[in-house]
Amino acid sequence: MKFSLVLLLGVAVIASLNSAFQSSENTPASDQPVSANARTRHFRLNKDGVAIDGYDPVSYFKDGPKKGSSAQSYTYDGVIYHFASAENLAEFKTNPTKYEPVWGGWCGHAM
């Protein structure tokens, strides 16, 4: 009984992974993020390739999240970030890895 249940679950997982793989192969190139590369595939980006929904990553460490502006944007290793001020942009440039979102912007539950 236990063996058949494990076998059934294994087959279901393999079938699920196979269908997910096939659907990703059939995705048109236009649906891919603007900056699709090996690194950005693991980030949660919007359709324009902007991380964390356009919020300023430095503002999270200061006085709370603030929406950034496309006029104050910076691309770091294929990922676009928007900033609320020139000061925050300059601070991000000094140490981007400190301010980049953990897990590519995905929430802890998604991980």
Side-chain angles (χ1 to χ4, degrees), residues 25-76:
E25 283 183 336
N26 297 331
T27 304
S30 62
D31 287 347
Q32 296 297 319
V34 173
S35 58
N37 66 34
R39 181 173 186 267
T40 58
R41 286 187 319 191
H42 302 291
F43 276 77
R44 188 181 67 77
L45 307 174
N46 69 12
K47 64 179 173 58
D48 299 320
V50 178
I52 54 178
D53 297 322
Y55 279 84
D56 180 344
V58 177
S59 68
Y60 284 90
F61 293 86
K62 290 185 173 182
D63 51 357
K66 289 194 166 92
K67 194 76 166 171
S69 164
S70 60
Q72 300 277 349
S73 69
Y74 179 69
T75 303
Y76 175 69

Side-chain angles (χ1 to χ4, degrees), residues 74-85:
Y74 179 69
T75 303
Y76 175 69
D77 206 6
V79 179
I80 302 168
Y81 294 98
H82 289 176
F83 298 90
S85 68

